[in-house]
């Protein structure tokens, strides 16, 4: 491939990363394509198989080594499973006594709820997720 096609491929992949929600996958493939293009622009012209091998090696190595650091630096590192639900608002489906078990809706899905509050929760009431334990949300009413 000519050098300009690697640069174009890199630009397309970086542009796609900016538009799509790929969670920092395409940026490393785009950067690898740019590096291969710059190597060729610098006067080194390896055969096609070596260009593709360099592209693949740079892509995978940077993805494995740099992606976790980038995600951590930008605050996208996931914590323990379910911690992203803590603080969300749940809509209670049916009456639940204090300490009782029931069902509720969060983000379009039905969840098992455990009423961690001192008072009952009523159908249609909104409550807050305090803890996630498997598929059960521990919730507390606003009042």
């Amino acid at each position: 491939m000519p050098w300009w096609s690697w640069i174009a491929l890199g630009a397309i992949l970086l542009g796609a990363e900016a538009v799509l929600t790929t969670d920092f996958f395409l940026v490393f493939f785009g950067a690898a394509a740019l590096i291969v293009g710059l190597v060729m622009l610098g006067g080194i012209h390896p055969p096609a198989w070596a260009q593709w091998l360099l592209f693949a090696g740079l892509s995978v190595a940077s993805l494995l080594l740099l992606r976790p650091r980038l995600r951590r630096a930008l605050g996208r590192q996931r914590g323990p499973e379910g911690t992203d639900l803590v603080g969300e608002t749940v809509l209670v489906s049916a009456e639940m006594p204090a300490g009782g078990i029931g069902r509720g809706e969060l983000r379009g899905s039905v969840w098992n709820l455990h009423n961690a509050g001192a008072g009952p929760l009523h159908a249609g009431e909104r409550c807050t997720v305090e803890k996630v334990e498997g598929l059960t949300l521990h919730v507390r009413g606003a009042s």
Side-chain angles (χ1 to χ4, degrees), residues 25-114:
F25 281 103
L26 294 180
V27 70
F28 297 107
F29 291 95
L34 288 174
I35 291 169
V36 172
L38 292 173
V39 164
M40 292 185 65
L41 184 62
I44 302 170
H45 300 285
W49 66 267
Q51 294 173 32
W52 284 102
L53 185 63
L54 178 62
F55 170 72
L58 287 171
S59 297
V60 171
S62 62
L63 185 68
L64 294 175
L65 296 174
L66 300 176
R67 183 173 178 265
R69 292 179 185 169
L70 180 62
R71 291 188 72 216
R72 200 174 317 115
L74 295 175
R76 289 203 174 165
Q77 189 70 23
R78 278 192 95 130
E81 191 61 37
T83 56
D84 56 334
L85 296 176
V86 173
E88 292 284 330
T89 302
V90 179
L91 183 65
V92 178
S93 300
E95 182 85 20
M96 278 192 321
I101 302 291
R103 312 254 310 154
E105 185 178 328
L106 172 64
R107 296 182 182 173
S109 297
V110 178
W111 293 79
N112 294 322
L113 302 181
H114 174 260

